[in-house]
Amino acid sequence: MVGKKSGRAALREEGLAKTDNNLDLTSWPAVSMINQKNYYTEYLKRDEQFLAYRTIQEENTQRMVKEARDRDRARAGVVLDDDRMEDVEPTSPEAHGSTFIVIHPGSQNLRIGLANDPIPKTVPMVIARKAKENESEIDGGEPKPKRIKLEGQEDEDVPPEKQFGAEFSKEYMSMALELKTRMRNNKRRLMPNSRELVVNFNRRAHPEIITEHNDPQRVEWTEVGGSSAPEYVCGQAALRIPEKSQPRYRLLWPLRNGWLNEKDYQQKNPLWNDLYLIIEEAMKTELGLTKRKDWQKYSCCFVIPDLYEREYVNRCLDMLMREFGFRRVCFMQESVAATYGAGYSMACIVDIGAQKTSICCVEDGMCVEESRVNMKYGGSDVTEAFMKMMLYDHFPYQEINLKRRYDFLLAEELKHKFCTMNEGDIGVQLYDFHLRASGQDTRKYNFKTYDEPMLALMAYFRPQIFNHDDKLLGRRHLVDRSYDLYDGSPNDPFSIAQSQVLQHASQSYAHNGSIAPVTTSAPTSAAAPSARASFNLLKQLHETDATPRSSVAGSPAPEGTPKPERAGSQDAPDDSGILAPSAVDPVAEKLKLADERDRILPIMSLDAAVFASITQGARAEDRKVRDFLGGIMVVGGGGSIAGFNSFLEEKLRELQPLYVKDVLIGAPPRDLDQQVVAWKGGSVFARLSNNGNDSWIYQKEYELLGTKVLSQKCMWNW
């Protein structure tokens, strides 16, 4: 009898036993698990792992190799041909900065030049294009400043005192009374009937006709007639095109009030194209860079506002890199550039431009973010106010229209020649000017002024007299705001000081019906919010931005959980019957607040805005407040008026008597023109450590990262 076999033996006899043939189950290499308690990585731990650092190191290495090669060739007596000499960058002290272009665009003028130039070239920021009507013929030929038409009377029958409305007349007379009181307190003698003398003389003044061949300063006009008329004309030549030219040309300004001009453009691409053409023509005509292949050898320092818009900066970077093809580009804020140009390490910069006024505290070469202020008035508003005041006092040239090119240039000339902030110059003064228009004989006018040259500048401290009707027209019509990549919330820079300006503006709208806070091209059809509601929304916006929060996208709710209602919905009762507050979407709230902020025009008196900026810049430290008050510097063409700094000092002392001894406004050093201080700072920065400066954006970095490289390259918190 055969013995019973075990199960293992049976499997072995039948060939079913499991055997190990040492064959791997897969050809992929097996990776052992790491020890979670003790592991180490070198990712982004060394400078060499950053693209920006490697780019600088490569540039330095290439420069050192080129210099060594040039020295060896010089010792060996090797002479390079012309083509190879063009590739060698100048290294002599005389040529230092000759390959750096500094560009500072403004609403009215463009400052451009090489970094080694003593002063920049100034070009009007305007382009003339063929059109059916010129700018003075559109809207039915309505003049600027706008006159009020009285019912039942012709335009010429309306007396000058009533042409601008009762509101302007009230503000004008109030400012005149304030100036008279001020001058009496300062022991200035005034004639009791000064205004009557001016009005009576101007009413009887008639022009003297001067033939063109007897005018030694006749104007050379830009000839555009015939079949070879150019499609566009840029710069100063555009302002000299005759009004009645055939074909007609219309002037377009790509930048208005410190913003992109969305009012006069119907599409986005023509707006960017005009901005590019103006800079391109300036480079060719003013800098002599006519060959596009030479542009890739140059670096560009581009000056932008303190409170910039991200879309504007992103598009400028694309334009400078792609269309101009510069070797490298860096951006610099205006206030920081002004401190570089003046040599200040700590200052409060008051930049009064043609159509915007910006204020910012700068400390150790950095803008104090919460101190930035950007207000939408400037020298052009003063020009218009000056003309309205002169017309009110029967200015002999009643037909002046600032939409006409020669009248606009005449008004700017009159402001620069006659406006002053010195009280000793105020009185009945006799002046004259020459009116030159294409196809007409020169006319010489005699006129008298009294207090208008100073009252027009005092409007900086009473900006409600300015005309703000069309400054918000077209806002966000073409260029949308910037949004965060992750949660979609608006991320354009903002500040506490700017919120205070908007608060003041919203309250002014509530008390002054002449200024409308809502743009006519608003994206929503909802009614305008009240002034108080606007300020509360802005306050919430600042609190939302300042308070850290977790990600918007939270953990998913269990199945069956009802979805919460959006912000603005009514509260819903819970199971117990008690009303529970509705959930608030922070992103939707930010979008709503940004829309409300865009509906308010930032306007505040200059002295109050300066102190608001300094208060936020000092961060409640009394010592810093005194330091900033003692380091105020006024730059820009709008403040380059005799006696302006002294007047601003007095207004600040009156506003804050506690700091009477601390207020001091300094002028730019070395008799530097206030209009070019910011450009000069850009040229200084471009030449300082140009090879070791990590704020330069190179073509290689831009090709890899695009506009995202700005977050790594900007000198401030992008």
Side-chain angles (χ1 to χ4, degrees):
M1 180 177 180
V2 181
K4 185 177 179 181
K5 298 182 180 179
S6 63
R8 184 178 299 175
L11 291 174
R12 187 169 52 252
E13 289 182 358
E14 295 177 3
L16 299 178
K18 183 178 179 181
T19 59
D20 187 7
N21 53 10
N22 296 325
L23 295 177
D24 295 333
L25 298 178
T26 177
S27 60
W28 290 92
V31 179
S32 59
M33 299 294 293
I34 65 173
N35 185 357
Q36 297 289 339
K37 295 182 179 180
N38 185 17
Y39 69 94
Y40 178 77
T41 179
E42 293 187 351
Y43 178 67
L44 297 181
K45 291 294 182 67
R46 298 193 304 270
D47 291 340
E48 292 82 358
Q49 295 173 335
F50 287 89
L51 177 62
Y53 184 87
R54 293 202 308 270
T55 305
I56 296 176
Q57 291 298 101
E58 292 173 1
E59 287 285 328
N60 291 336
T61 302
Q62 294 177 4
R63 179 176 54 85
M64 293 172 61
V65 170
K66 183 180 296 185
E67 291 177 355
R69 186 183 298 115
D70 294 341
R71 285 195 302 268
D72 294 342
R73 287 170 175 168
R75 292 172 183 173
V78 178
V79 179
L80 299 178
D81 55 4
D82 294 340
D83 295 337
R84 297 172 65 185
M85 282 295 293
E86 291 181 356
D87 298 333
V88 180
E89 291 186 357
T91 57
S92 61
E94 295 79 12
H96 185 60
S98 60
T99 58
F100 295 90
I101 299 176
V102 182
I103 302 175
H104 182 198
S107 299
Q108 185 166 314
N109 290 311
L110 168 69
R111 319 284 181 188
I112 187 172
L114 299 177
N116 60 348
D117 291 339
I119 57 174
K121 306 295 190 301
T122 301
V123 180
M125 195 73 183
V126 64
I127 183 172
R129 287 190 172 275
K130 290 182 178 180
K132 296 181 180 179
E133 298 176 323
N134 59 41
E135 60 276 5
S136 64
E137 296 173 340
I138 60 176
D139 298 332
E142 185 180 44
K144 180 182 179 182
K146 183 178 179 181
R147 276 75 159 179
I148 293 179
K149 297 181 180 180
L150 298 181
E151 185 177 358
Q153 292 186 0
E154 299 293 336
D155 295 346
E156 57 271 10
D157 296 335
V158 180
E161 299 88 351
K162 299 181 180 180
Q163 288 184 354
F164 306 110
E167 189 67 28
F168 175 81
S169 178
K170 179 181 177 181
E171 288 289 338
Y172 181 30
M173 292 296 102
S174 176
M175 293 174 64
L177 181 61
E178 178 186 347
L179 178 60
K180 183 180 297 186
T181 304
R182 180 187 184 88
M183 295 183 68
R184 284 178 178 173
N185 294 336
N186 294 335
K187 309 300 181 182
R188 299 285 185 181
R189 186 177 179 180
L190 295 173
M191 296 180 63
N193 59 340
S194 298
R195 192 172 303 280
E196 289 77 7
L197 292 176
V198 170
V199 171
N200 292 332
F201 179 87
N202 290 340
R203 185 184 289 118
R204 297 191 304 267
H206 296 284
E208 175 187 351
I209 305 301
I210 302 176
T211 57
E212 184 177 1
H213 63 274
N214 289 329
D215 186 5
Q217 298 179 351
R218 58 181 178 273
V219 176
E220 297 294 336
W221 301 95
T222 304
E223 298 296 336
V224 293
S227 59
S228 60
E231 188 65 29
Y232 63 88
V233 180
C234 299
Q236 187 66 33
L239 296 176
R240 292 302 185 184
I241 297 178
E243 295 287 329
K244 303 299 183 180
S245 63
Q246 292 295 336
R248 288 284 198 275
Y249 281 82
R250 181 186 177 187
L251 298 185
L252 295 170
W253 307 77
L255 299 179
R256 302 300 283 173
N257 301 112
W259 288 326
L260 290 167
N261 185 5
E262 302 175 71
K263 171 179 172 289
D264 296 332
Y265 287 87
Q266 301 300 323
Q267 296 180 354
K268 186 189 305 184
N269 289 337
L271 172 60
W272 294 117
N273 189 41
D274 285 355
L275 181 63
Y276 165 78
L277 289 175
I278 293 173
I279 299 177
E280 180 189 34
E281 289 296 319
M283 288 178 56
K284 291 180 178 179
T285 58
E286 302 296 335
L287 303 184
L289 302 177
T290 57
K291 298 181 180 179
R292 296 181 61 90
K293 66 177 183 179
D294 295 337
W295 296 354
Q296 60 186 356
K297 303 175 186 177
Y298 287 82
S299 304
C300 177
C301 179
F302 200 87
V303 183
I304 61 175
D306 303 322
L307 277 178
Y308 54 87
E309 293 186 342
R310 286 173 177 259
E311 288 296 327
Y312 169 71
V313 180
N314 290 338
R315 188 61 184 86
C316 287
L317 178 60
D318 292 337
M319 177 180 64
L320 297 173
M321 283 295 188
R322 292 183 179 179
E323 301 176 22
F324 285 100
F326 289 125
R327 176 169 164 258
R328 54 184 177 176
V329 174
C330 75
F331 291 95
M332 194 175 191
Q333 292 171 296
E334 287 177 339
S335 294
V336 176
T339 57
Y340 270 79
Y344 289 4
S345 61
M346 184 176 184
C348 176
I349 304 299
V350 181
D351 187 352
I352 306 177
Q355 298 177 10
K356 75 170 179 63
T357 297
S358 61
I359 308 169
C360 181
C361 294
V362 180
E363 185 177 9
D364 296 331
M366 294 289 291
C367 286
V368 182
E369 293 185 354
E370 300 300 343
S371 70
R372 293 176 292 181
V373 170
N374 193 312
M375 299 181 293
K376 303 306 177 184
Y377 61 80
S380 295
D381 297 277
V382 172
T383 303
E384 183 177 352
F386 180 53
M387 287 295 100
K388 291 171 73 173
M389 293 176 181
M390 293 300 300
L391 291 171
Y392 187 95
D393 292 338
H394 292 260
F395 187 60
Y397 179 38
Q398 285 284 318
E399 299 81 15
I400 189 170
N401 181 5
L402 298 184
K403 289 184 178 181
R404 287 199 293 256
R405 296 150 200 174
Y406 57 87
D407 283 348
F408 167 76
L409 296 175
L410 172 64
E412 289 287 330
E413 179 185 355
L414 294 178
K415 181 187 71 172
H416 289 299
K417 289 177 64 176
F418 305 130
C419 284
T420 179
M421 294 293 277
N422 293 326
E423 295 180 359
D425 298 333
I426 299 303
V428 179
Q429 304 286 347
L430 176 62
Y431 299 115
D432 63 77
F433 68 90
H434 293 77
L435 175 63
R436 298 177 175 91
S438 177
Q440 303 178 21
D441 290 333
T442 301
R443 285 172 282 173
K444 179 182 177 181
Y445 286 87
N446 293 317
F447 69 102
K448 284 187 176 182
T449 65
Y450 171 44
D451 55 0
E452 303 91 342
M454 188 169 179
L455 292 180
L457 293 166
M458 287 177 60
Y460 283 132
F461 307 94
R462 298 185 69 167
Q464 60 268 23
I465 199 173
F466 292 144
N467 180 23
H468 307 293
D469 292 342
D470 59 347
K471 292 182 179 180
L472 284 177
L473 292 179
R475 181 71 171 148
R476 303 299 183 192
H477 171 62
L478 297 177
V479 182
D480 197 5
R481 65 176 67 91
S482 175
Y483 298 96
D484 187 82
L485 183 62
Y486 298 100
D487 61 5
S489 60
N491 61 355
D492 281 329
F494 197 58
S495 69
I496 300 178
Q498 186 73 0
S499 67
Q500 294 179 354
V501 173
L502 292 176
Q503 172 193 6
H504 175 81
S506 63
Q507 293 174 348
S508 298
Y509 296 147
H511 300 292
N512 185 359
S514 63
I515 304 176
V518 182
T519 172
T520 58
S521 60
T524 176
S525 59
S530 64
R532 194 65 186 171
S534 300
F535 168 60
N536 291 336
L537 291 173
L538 293 171
K539 183 177 180 182
Q540 296 173 15
L541 174 62
H542 172 68
E543 293 175 352
T544 306
D545 291 340
T547 305
R549 61 178 176 83
S550 59
S551 174
V552 177
S555 302
E559 294 184 3
T561 303
K563 296 182 179 180
E565 297 183 6
R566 292 295 182 185
S569 61
Q570 298 181 355
D571 298 334
D574 56 10
D575 295 337
S576 61
I578 302 175
L579 290 177
S582 302
V584 177
D585 186 352
V587 176
E589 191 70 14
K590 279 190 174 184
L591 291 171
K592 180 180 178 181
L593 298 174
D595 289 337
E596 301 300 337
R597 184 179 67 189
D598 287 340
R599 294 167 179 261
I600 302 176
L601 189 70
I603 296 295
M604 179 187 273
S605 63
L606 184 60
D607 53 344
V610 170
F611 196 79
S613 175
I614 291 177
T615 303
Q616 298 302 327
R619 302 182 183 92
E621 296 184 21
D622 185 71
R623 180 185 60 83
K624 281 191 176 181
V625 171
R626 298 180 187 274
D627 290 341
F628 282 129
L629 285 173
I632 300 175
M633 183 175 63
V634 178
V635 299
S640 57
I641 302 294
F644 183 82
N645 290 359
S646 300
F647 190 88
L648 179 58
E649 282 184 2
E650 294 181 13
K651 297 293 289 187
L652 290 173
R653 293 185 179 117
E654 294 173 3
L655 184 65
Q656 294 294 332
L658 183 62
Y659 301 102
V660 169
K661 297 182 180 180
D662 300 302
V663 177
L664 180 63
I665 300 178
R670 301 180 300 275
D671 296 329
L672 190 62
D673 188 0
Q674 293 181 208
Q675 303 180 66
V676 303
V677 173
W679 180 93
K680 192 67 176 179
S683 67
V684 172
F685 177 77
R687 289 179 291 174
L688 286 176
S689 304
N690 57 80
N691 291 296
N693 193 337
D694 57 359
S695 62
W696 290 105
I697 302 173
Y698 292 81
Q699 283 284 352
K700 178 181 178 181
E701 297 169 340
Y702 174 76
E703 292 173 359
L704 290 176
L705 301 177
T707 56
K708 292 185 291 185
V709 73
L710 289 169
S711 60
Q712 302 293 332
K713 288 292 189 173
C714 288
M715 296 181 291
W716 62 92
N717 183 18
W718 172 259

